[in-house]
């Protein structure tokens, strides 16, 4: 039997940073809403949002949820900035180590900080990292990966709009230069010009964490025409509710079966604080969970 669990994440409620204010709902309200919708886990969101240590353990246990993982970004393009960010990585690993134990442990989700040029023009139209910078960049990703492994965690690197690992070609370069595993995000691939189904098949041996989100290239095109950045793209609904964008979700689910994927599947619908009501957010995530249930997940 494949071991798979379905989670959601605070980004689906507009929580990206601890400084986001006012919070759309309390952490207790969020975990309860997701548990009621049938989710088995939750991503940490910004480290500390769901608590740390016993506070985190008690909160998740009280809702019957496990910690699926959490986002840690580092500035791999800058040696000094990268080094200064390593304590935050270690602190995140401390949080994961204290989380409730389950048959699928939390997976550190490594990502690179934004590229200002690509953040302003997301979707793969802006040149990325110069070829000469890739070896050092990849070496730092490898070092962060190894640090996680030394602590007993297998991390997954998350390609992302607005960063130096945005397009399928960027991902291919990363996979070539490191032995890092991949968090494949269907929505970010879709809006960066990739085919999530083809990429799942091509990278099957390296994918061990999956974020399922939908995307709307029409909203992306309008955002680019209007000159707005990635943050506003999310606010405009560039990542749609499942079934309302262009993602071929049934094909994604079939492909996960074909490649014998095991692990966390995290549904995300990135939005900005205050763009939709809490009731709308909860209704969307309930509908998203039901859609996967209808497809056998």
């Amino acid at each position: 039997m494949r071991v798979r669990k379905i989670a959601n994440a605070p980004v689906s409620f507009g929580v990206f940073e601890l400084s986001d204010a006012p919070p759309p709902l309390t952490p207790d309200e969020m975990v309860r809403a997701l548990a009621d919708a049938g989710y088995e886990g939750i991503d940490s969101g910004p480290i500390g949002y769901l608590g740390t240590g016993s506070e985190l353990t008690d909160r998740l246990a009280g809702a019957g949820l496990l910690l699926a993982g959490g986002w840690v970004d580092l500035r791999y393009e800058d040696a000094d900035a990268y080094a200064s960010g390593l304590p935050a990585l270690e602190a995140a690993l401390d949080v994961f180590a204290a989380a409730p134990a389950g048959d699928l442990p939390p997976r550190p989700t490594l990502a690179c900080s934004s590229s200002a040029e690509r953040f302003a023009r997301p979707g793969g139209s802006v040149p990325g990292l110069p070829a000469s910078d890739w070896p050092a960049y990849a070496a730092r990703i490898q070092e962060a990966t190894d640090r996680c492994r030394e602590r007993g965690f297998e991390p997954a690197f998350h390609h992302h709009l607005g960063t130096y690992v945005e397009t399928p070609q960027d991902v291919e370069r990363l996979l070539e230069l490191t032995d890092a595993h991949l968090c494949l995000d269907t929505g970010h691939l879709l809006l960066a010009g990739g085919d999530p189904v083809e990429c799942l098949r091509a990278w099957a041996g390296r994918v061990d964490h999956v974020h399922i989100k939908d995307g709307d290239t029409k909203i992306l095109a309008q955002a680019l025409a209007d000159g707005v950045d990635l943050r506003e793209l999310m606010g405009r609904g560039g990542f749609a509710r499942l079934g309302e964008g262009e993602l071929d979700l049934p094909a994604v689910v079939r492909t996960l079966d074909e490649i014998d994927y095991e692990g966390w599947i995290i549904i995300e619908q990135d939005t900005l604080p205050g763009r939709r009501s809490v009731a709308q957010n909860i209704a969307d995530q309930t509908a998203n969970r039901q859609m996967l249930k209808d497809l056998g997940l």
Side-chain angles (χ1 to χ4, degrees):
M1 289 289 292
R2 301 184 188 97
V3 179
R4 295 174 176 170
K5 292 186 182 298
I6 312 299
N8 205 290
V11 295
S12 299
F13 297 84
V15 178
F16 291 86
E17 301 172 351
L18 290 177
S19 60
D20 287 336
L25 70 174
T26 69
D28 286 325
E29 290 170 335
M30 183 182 295
V31 298
R32 175 49 55 195
L34 293 178
D36 289 346
Y39 290 95
E40 299 162 284
I42 185 172
D43 189 85
S44 70
I47 299 298
Y49 173 70
L50 295 177
T52 59
S54 61
E55 181 185 16
L56 172 65
T57 300
D58 293 346
R59 172 168 287 132
L60 296 187
L65 296 181
L66 295 173
L67 186 66
W71 180 276
V72 182
D73 66 46
L74 295 167
R75 291 187 57 189
Y76 300 104
E77 80 283 2
D78 182 311
D80 292 337
Y82 165 76
S84 68
L86 287 175
L89 172 60
E90 295 295 337
L93 296 177
D94 290 341
V95 171
F96 300 151
D103 48 3
L104 285 180
R107 192 171 294 281
T109 310
L110 302 178
C112 49
S113 299
S114 298
S115 152
E117 295 80 11
R118 281 185 158 185
F119 193 89
R121 301 283 299 173
S125 63
V126 175
L129 200 67
S132 60
D133 291 351
W134 261 102
Y137 183 86
R140 294 182 193 111
I141 293 173
Q142 185 67 60
E143 180 188 351
T145 297
D146 292 341
R147 281 175 172 264
C148 294
R149 289 170 176 165
E150 289 167 3
R151 294 284 303 273
F153 294 100
E154 183 60 53
F157 189 90
H158 190 310
H159 58 93
H160 200 283
L161 290 182
T163 74
Y164 288 120
V165 186
E166 180 179 54
T167 68
Q169 293 75 27
D170 298 329
V171 176
E172 294 279 4
R173 188 69 172 136
L174 171 74
L175 296 177
E176 175 188 346
L177 293 176
T178 73
D179 69 3
H181 292 178
L182 189 66
C183 172
L184 188 142
D185 186 300
T186 60
H188 283 279
L189 265 180
L190 182 65
L191 295 189
D195 182 323
V197 170
E198 289 183 3
C199 290
L200 268 173
R201 291 181 177 135
W203 304 332
R206 300 286 286 275
V207 174
D208 58 10
H209 207 48
V210 172
H211 287 184
I212 287 185
K213 61 166 65 80
D214 212 333
D216 190 323
T217 59
K218 297 183 295 300
I219 294 177
L220 171 63
Q222 188 61 55
L224 293 173
D226 293 343
V228 301
D229 63 14
L230 174 58
R231 185 173 176 86
E232 178 59 22
L233 169 66
M234 292 186 291
R236 292 184 177 193
F239 296 115
R241 192 166 87 172
L242 293 182
E244 295 183 358
E246 296 155 44
L247 179 69
D248 187 346
L249 183 59
V252 168
V253 172
R254 287 194 302 270
T255 305
L256 290 173
D257 285 338
E258 290 170 11
I259 67 173
D260 289 323
Y261 175 77
E262 292 189 356
W264 283 104
I265 297 171
I266 303 178
I267 297 174
E268 293 183 333
Q269 189 182 341
D270 302 7
T271 188
L272 295 187
R275 292 300 179 94
R276 302 200 318 279
S277 70
V278 170
Q280 288 174 314
N281 284 328
I282 292 173
D284 281 352
Q285 301 327 308
T286 301
N288 286 340
R289 181 66 190 97
Q290 186 60 50
M291 183 164 287
L292 280 194
K293 286 181 180 178
D294 292 343
L295 292 170
L297 289 178

